[in-house]
Amino acid sequence: MMTRSEQLFDRARNVMPGGVNSPVRACRAVGTYPRFLQKGRGGRVFDADGQEYVDLVCSWGPLILGHCRREVLEAVGEAMADGLSFGAPTAAEVEMAELICRMVPGMEMVRMVNSGTEAVMSALRLARGATGRNKIIKFEGCYHGHSDSMLVKAGSGALTGGTPDSKGVPPEMAADTLTARYNDLESVESLLRANSGQVAAVIVEPVAANMGVVLPKPEFLPGLRALCDRYGALLIFDEVITGFRLAAGGAQEYFGVRADLVTYGKIIGGGMPVGAYGGRRALMELVAPSGPVYQAGTLSGNPVAMAAGLAQLRILEKNPQIYTRLAEMGGELAKRLRERAQRAGVPVQVNQIGSLLSVFFTEAPVGSFAAAKRSDLDRFARYYRAMLSRGVYAAPSQFEAMFLCTEHTREDLERVLQGAECAMAQIAQEA
Ligand code: KE4
């Protein structure tokens, strides 16, 4: 007897590429079919067959306050009652822009868009328009959405599916995207030197979370800042994941390094489709209609999406202790996952910062993309399936992160640890 998820997946594959609306959800890397989810509450989700899971994906990061947070639902209900969309300015957009500028160090002006991809695509165009230069430096294994110039040695679903360079991206477009190695400042400087006067921007995930979680070495982000200043390139922090997650002011606040432009998504939408990019006024005023860099969007600043994002951000602004609690939760979970693996005799690396963490099945520390790629993907797939069967819904790829939220309870974390313990024991037996 097929489960409801299997039935839905069969139907989906008839009418949707791969049966999904985003590749990583197809679970191809972990050897099972995707669970079709139906409901979320707090730190848990329920699938179409009524199975309950502790949710460590949280919609890939947006739900830092958990599913169906009362204040968010109430705000959405109130906004919906006045209309779904106007295509005209609304007060909510002004409040959102003012709130982001208040919460983020150095943010003077911001433009709302509809996804992280759109935020990055727009920030890159602005960087090119502002500098008159065409080349962009990104890092192998970092993922910045699916705009053409970013699908070069990309992470996340592109890496998971083994196609870090997508078909359909014109070679001349890709030629303007140079790739360096994360945590390797020398690889960045050699590109800047070899392309002197041609690099518009260096774009980086301040914490890499699309090759699995890989932390920046202490000197990496300050080093990028200094190199960009020396070679006249803009520094873009892609904070679609880290924004409002590592701290209220994101990675800029957490690491004390100021970027020229910052991109956002996920948390600022509270679960609705929202992206944004922003920075200092002199740069942002180059964006149409105040300047010559064009960018537009029918649903940009949509009032219902703004209501959801505002409700979530306001709670984060008013309760900074949330970040301390999430970091404690993340640190404890990482520590106890390491203990479980050690007891089972299974070599793992658990990388964690704040409420972001990843388990790599490898002996050696994972401080680079090359190290992440050396981890045992087959063991990860077995770990994933064992966790899923014990009611833990983790990201179905080694090259993703686990996300914690404020609604995860001690009981939830105990279930995660028990699932991990069973998974490690299984892996050790099959070794
Ligand atoms: P979206 O276009 O998916 O909203 O954002 C693209 C993006 C940009 N920058 C970073 C650092 C990101 O992590 C993302 C998207 N994150 C992935 C998960 N790693 C989205 C999940 C998916 O592709 O289905």
Side-chain angles (χ1 to χ4, degrees), residues 20-35:
V20 292
N21 281 315
S22 196
V24 70
R25 302 178 193 172
C27 293
R28 290 191 171 189
V30 289
T32 185
Y33 61 91
R35 276 30 179 200

Side-chain angles (χ1 to χ4, degrees), residues 70 113 148 332 341 397 418:
R70 178 180 52 78
V113 291
D148 280 348
E332 184 191 346
S397 162
Q418 282 159 19

Side-chain angles (χ1 to χ4, degrees), residues 92-336:
E93 295 162 76
V94 183
E95 288 161 20
M96 174 65 101
E98 288 172 341
L99 180 55
I100 291 174
C101 290
R102 207 167 52 234
M103 290 176 77
V104 179
M107 187 67 62
E108 294 179 332
M109 201 168 252
V110 63
R111 167 61 62 88
M112 306 311 296
V113 291
N114 300 281
S115 70
T117 292
E118 203 182 342
V120 167
M121 183 174 72
S122 309
L124 294 175
R125 184 180 307 133
L126 173 55
R128 288 171 161 145
T131 60
R133 300 176 175 187
N134 291 333
K135 293 190 186 301
I136 299 288
I137 292 175
K138 75 177 285 290
F139 294 89
E140 286 181 13
C142 282
Y143 180 72
H144 303 287
H146 66 88
S147 61
D148 280 348
S149 58
M150 288 293 99
L151 285 180
V152 176
K153 296 191 174 66
S156 182
L159 183 59
T160 301
T163 54
D165 309 306
S166 171
K167 284 252 182 286
V169 175
E172 53 279 4
M173 165 82 71
D176 275 339
T177 302
L178 310 172
T179 52
R181 288 182 299 279
Y182 194 79
N183 271 331
D184 177 348
L185 288 168
E186 177 43 45
S187 72
V188 181
E189 180 150 27
S190 59
L191 286 175
L192 285 165
R193 208 182 300 122
N195 298 274
S196 185
Q198 300 174 63
V199 177
V202 175
I203 184 168
V204 67
E205 291 179 59
V207 173
N210 288 291
M211 51 178 90
V213 174
V214 173
L215 277 57
K217 289 177 183 166
E219 70 278 9
F220 184 57
L221 298 178
L224 288 182
R225 179 68 275 168
L227 284 172
C228 285
D229 291 343
R230 193 179 318 152
Y231 287 87
L234 296 177
L235 178 58
I236 301 176
F237 271 9
D238 178 353
E239 294 220 44
V240 169
I241 284 185
T242 56
F244 307 100
R245 177 166 286 277
L246 288 187
Q252 291 188 106
E253 175 187 323
Y254 189 94
F255 294 106
V257 175
R258 188 68 57 81
D260 296 300
L261 289 172
V262 190
T263 57
Y264 295 107
K266 298 184 193 279
I267 287 176
I268 65 169
M272 301 289 281
V274 178
Y277 64 104
R280 61 177 181 277
R281 186 179 310 280
L283 274 177
M284 290 304 291
E285 283 188 334
L286 293 171
V287 178
S290 53
V293 177
Y294 193 72
Q295 180 266 309
T298 303
L299 293 173
S300 296
N302 170 273
V304 179
M306 291 297 101
L310 275 167
Q312 178 148 273
L313 290 187
R314 283 171 175 151
I315 291 171
L316 294 171
E317 184 189 37
K318 290 193 181 73
N319 299 278
Q321 76 281 3
I322 282 175
Y323 294 106
T324 312
R325 197 149 56 82
L326 283 171
E328 286 164 359
M329 200 195 293
E332 184 191 346
L333 181 58
K335 173 173 171 287
R336 294 175 69 189

